């Protein structure tokens, strides 16, 4: 099996294996081959096949009838209009996602700062609006705005480091656009599977087997997370290839990364995805309990709300943790337990720095996605105003435009986010390799890292980087 885990030996004149760090780092960088966590892969495939069989056997056996309504001609006309609008809005949504990729490459620092300041501005606007109705809410949003200002001041010198990671990630995606294609394919597979799962759910409910709804919810969340994380690990493997082997184009890079994600690392992906699926299922159970306890006392409602809030925090933490654990899986081929231990070691060493960098990147990604959705929505609202007879239809068209623009840009930006996470981990653990594979990027990264150390919050220096500080080529 082809493997990126190495570095072009011609790029260094030393006789020591340049892939292995020459000092002890905080995580293991030993490469592990072979299939990992096979039991979880088998369990996932079994539940996948089970849901598919149920959807075919139970749903297809139902006698489904549709009530009489509008004429077939009217329905056909409405369907044609809907398909045309969706197709056109998808086209402009993809166009906006490409525009934002280009903008991130050219104006990454300005966009990051703009996203941060927009958050403060929105809180100020909401504070002014809320003061007219509720002083408590007005003060709350004003405090959020002040907190945002303090936060920006504290992380301002960390922006160049995040900026360089962001620009390099966009360059990787431009070099390997198949990474975006893989992400879109994942979204398509997810939609198809949602349809199959819905058929199975309807069939089970019509058979009176409502007690199985917890297992159905768990299956749904597990499947969605596995599909999403297969794409994540594929992109991470591609970014790691560029980091370890340089910018020279290799046509098989994305294919090999996808192959590893779907074979040797698939069990680890299923393992990690099951954890977040369990947490999401527990939240669904709590929501169900809240609906059924609508008439209960205030204390019961308060306890349920607290439990839901706690599970929400756990879900966010597990999502954050899994993202970087899967980077370890993609880069070093580790099983999920080993990847989790090494991720925890990295978080203990650089937790604050990692969280801040992740927050900066996520902020600009959400900002770009929202702006793309807003622009797409405005365009199609305008089309609706000029083409349709009433305002409600125009609003519907605008909503479709907003949703497609936001979703497509967010999907594209998750590819960028995966690249950023991979580059962060690789540079934190083995920065010396970058001095051989991409000297220019190494130079700007070390400069950005030096600026980051001047932040009021300071900045960690990883054991790997500390050993090579001042050894720029």
């Amino acid at each position: 099996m082809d493997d990126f885990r190495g570095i072009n030996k011609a790029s260094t004149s030393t006789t020591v294996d340049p892939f292995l760090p020459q000092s002890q780092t905080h995580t293991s960088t030993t490469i592990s081959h072979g299939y990992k966590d096979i039991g979880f892969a088998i369990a996932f495939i079994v539940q996948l096949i089970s849901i598919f069989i149920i959807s075919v056997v139970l749903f297809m056996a139902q006698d489904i009838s549709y009530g009489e309504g509008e004429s077939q001609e009217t329905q056909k006309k409405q369907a044609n209009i809907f398909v045309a609008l969706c197709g056109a809005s998808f086209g402009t949504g993809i166009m906006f996602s490409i525009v934002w990729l280009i903008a991130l490459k050219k104006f990454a620092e300005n966009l990051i700062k703009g996203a941060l300041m927009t958050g403060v501005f929105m809180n100020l606007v909401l504070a002014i609006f809320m003061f007219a109705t509720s002083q408590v809410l007005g003060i709350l949003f004003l405090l959020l705005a002040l907190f945002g200002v303090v936060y920006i001041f504290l992380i301002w010198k960390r922006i160049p480091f995040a900026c360089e990671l962001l620009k390099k990630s966009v360059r990787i995606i431009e070099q390997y656009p198949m990474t975006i294609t893989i992400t879109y394919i994942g979204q398509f597979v997810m939609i198809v599977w949602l349809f199959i799962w819905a058929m199975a759910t309807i069939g089970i409910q019509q058979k009176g087997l409502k007690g199985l709804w917890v297992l159905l919810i768990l299956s749904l969340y597990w499947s969605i997370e596995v599909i999403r994380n297969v794409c994540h690990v594929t992109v991470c493997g591609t970014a790691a290839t560029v980091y370890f082997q340089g910018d020279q184009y290799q046509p098989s890079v994305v294919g090999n990364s996808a192959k590893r994600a779907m074979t040797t690392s698939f069990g680890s992906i299923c393992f990690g995805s099951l954890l977040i699926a369990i947490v999401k299922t527990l939240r669904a159970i709590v929501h169900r309990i809240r609906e059924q306890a609508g008439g209960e006392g205030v204390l019961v409602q308060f306890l349920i709300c607290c439990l839901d809030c706690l599970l929400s925090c756990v879900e966010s933490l597990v999502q954050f943790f899994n993202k970087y654990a899967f980077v370890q899986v993609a880069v070093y081929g580790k099983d999920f337990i080993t990847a989790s231990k090494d991720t925890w070691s990295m978080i203990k060493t650089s937790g604050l720095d990692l969280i801040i960098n992740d927050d900066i990147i996520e902020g600009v990604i959400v900002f770009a996605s929202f702006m793309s959705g807003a622009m797409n929505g405005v365009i199609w609202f305008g089309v609706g105003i000029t083409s349709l007879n009433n305002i409600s239809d125009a609003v519907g068209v605008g909503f479709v435009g907003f949703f497609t623009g936001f979703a497509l840009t967010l999907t594209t930006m998750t590819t960028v986010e995966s690249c950023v996470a991979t580059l962060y981990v690789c540079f934190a653990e083995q920065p010396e390799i970058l001095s051989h594979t991409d000297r220019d990027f190494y130079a700007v990264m070390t400069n950005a890292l030096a600026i980051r150390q001047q932040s009021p919050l300071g900045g960690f220096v990883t054991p790997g980087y500390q050993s090579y500080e001042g050894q720029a080529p």
Side-chain angles (χ1 to χ4, degrees):
M1 181 181 69
D2 292 336
D3 207 326
F4 69 85
R5 299 158 186 144
I7 183 174
N8 185 357
K9 297 299 194 315
S11 66
T12 177
S13 59
T14 63
T15 57
V16 180
D17 184 354
F19 170 70
L20 298 176
Q22 305 305 306
S23 65
Q24 183 67 34
T25 61
H26 58 286
T27 61
S28 171
T29 55
T30 302
I31 303 308
S32 179
H33 299 279
Y35 289 82
K36 304 295 186 301
D37 301 312
I38 298 176
F40 291 94
I42 294 173
F44 177 77
I45 293 172
V46 168
Q47 70 88 23
L48 213 63
I49 295 173
S50 300
I51 292 294
F52 181 78
I53 292 175
I54 291 172
S55 69
V56 173
V57 174
L58 294 183
F59 183 81
M60 296 302 179
Q62 301 303 313
D63 182 18
I64 301 175
S65 59
Y66 299 93
E68 295 183 1
E70 296 177 293
S71 66
Q72 289 186 345
E73 186 65 29
T74 302
Q75 291 180 352
K76 183 177 179 180
K77 182 178 179 181
Q78 289 179 340
N80 289 337
I81 294 174
F82 179 78
V83 170
L85 290 175
C86 285
S89 63
F90 264 82
T92 53
I94 292 174
M95 179 191 72
F96 278 123
S97 67
I98 294 173
V99 168
W100 277 105
L101 272 181
I102 297 172
L104 283 177
K105 181 181 177 181
K106 293 183 177 296
F107 311 108
E109 187 168 351
N110 292 332
L111 288 174
I112 289 174
K113 293 177 180 178
L116 291 169
M117 293 178 180
T118 298
V120 174
F121 175 75
M122 292 301 297
N123 281 323
L124 284 175
V125 171
L126 288 172
I128 294 172
F129 176 78
M130 289 300 175
F131 269 122
T133 57
S134 171
Q135 287 190 346
V136 175
L137 290 177
I139 293 173
L140 175 62
F141 280 104
L142 182 60
L143 290 175
L144 288 174
L146 292 175
F147 173 79
V149 172
V150 174
Y151 177 71
I152 291 174
F153 171 75
L154 293 175
I155 69 167
W156 192 258
K157 291 186 179 296
R158 293 169 179 260
I159 292 176
F161 184 81
C163 176
E164 296 303 332
L165 288 174
L166 199 58
K167 290 192 289 187
K168 178 65 174 180
S169 298
V170 174
R171 290 197 295 270
I172 291 173
I173 292 171
E174 285 181 340
Q175 188 176 17
Y176 295 101
M178 185 57 68
T179 53
I180 295 180
T181 304
I182 289 289
T183 306
Y184 280 125
I185 290 174
Q187 294 297 313
F188 176 76
V189 172
M190 197 180 296
I191 292 171
V192 172
W193 182 249
L194 283 172
F195 177 72
I196 295 173
W197 178 87
M199 290 193 298
T201 302
I202 292 172
I204 288 175
Q205 288 181 339
Q206 290 181 345
K207 288 292 183 180
L209 304 174
K210 297 182 179 181
L212 297 177
W213 74 272
V214 173
L215 294 178
L216 286 170
I217 292 295
L218 178 62
S219 171
L220 174 65
Y221 285 137
W222 195 10
S223 302
I224 289 175
E225 289 299 320
V226 167
I227 294 170
R228 179 184 293 119
N229 288 321
V230 164
C231 297
H232 174 58
V233 170
T234 298
V235 177
C236 290
T238 302
T241 302
V242 175
Y243 185 91
F244 287 117
Q245 295 188 354
D247 289 332
Q248 184 177 358
Y249 178 75
Q250 303 175 58
S252 62
V253 164
V254 180
N256 289 339
S257 297
K259 180 182 177 182
R260 287 191 294 274
M262 293 296 295
T263 54
T264 55
S265 296
F266 188 68
S268 300
I269 293 172
C270 293
F271 188 180
S273 300
L274 178 60
L275 298 179
I276 188 65
I278 290 173
V279 176
K280 288 187 174 184
T281 302
L282 290 175
R283 287 198 70 191
I285 294 173
V286 171
H287 290 166
R288 183 73 172 266
I289 294 173
R290 176 189 288 179
E291 293 175 359
Q292 295 176 348
E296 299 293 335
V298 176
L299 179 60
V300 174
Q301 292 288 336
F302 175 75
L303 292 175
I304 293 174
C305 183
C306 290
L307 181 58
D308 184 36
C309 181
L310 176 63
L311 288 173
S312 176
C313 294
V314 172
E315 180 184 341
S316 298
L317 290 173
V318 174
Q319 288 278 27
F320 174 80
F321 186 87
N322 274 9
K323 178 166 67 174
Y324 289 95
F326 284 133
V327 173
Q328 297 280 347
V329 169
V331 176
Y332 303 113
K334 300 172 183 176
D335 62 89
F336 187 75
I337 293 294
T338 303
S340 298
K341 291 179 180 178
D342 289 343
T343 300
W344 178 243
S345 297
M346 183 177 68
I347 289 175
K348 287 193 295 184
T349 304
S350 56
L352 178 62
D353 196 88
L354 185 65
I355 291 170
I356 291 174
N357 189 79
D358 197 76
D359 182 69
I360 292 172
I361 298 300
E362 282 194 359
V364 73
I365 285 174
V366 172
F367 175 76
S369 301
F370 182 82
M371 292 301 296
S372 179
M375 290 185 290
N376 208 37
V378 169
I379 288 175
W380 288 102
F381 175 74
V383 171
I385 288 292
T386 57
S387 304
L388 302 174
N389 296 327
N390 59 72
I391 190 68
S392 61
D393 289 342
V395 171
V397 173
F399 177 78
V400 171
F402 174 83
F403 177 78
T404 54
F406 180 87
L408 289 170
T409 303
L410 184 62
T411 299
T412 302
M413 292 299 148
T414 56
T415 309
V416 176
E417 189 177 15
S418 297
C419 287
V420 169
T422 305
L423 294 175
Y424 184 97
V425 171
C426 291
F427 187 75
E429 295 185 345
Q430 302 188 69
E432 76 285 353
I433 289 179
L434 196 61
S435 66
H436 299 295
T437 59
D438 192 340
R439 292 170 178 261
D440 292 338
F441 184 50
Y442 180 79
V444 296
M445 285 291 284
T446 52
N447 181 62
L449 192 60
I451 294 174
R452 190 183 63 180
Q453 305 308 313
Q454 303 170 15
S455 168
L457 293 176
F460 86 100
V461 180
T462 66
Y465 180 77
Q466 196 171 28
S467 299
Y468 291 87
E469 191 174 7
Q471 295 187 21

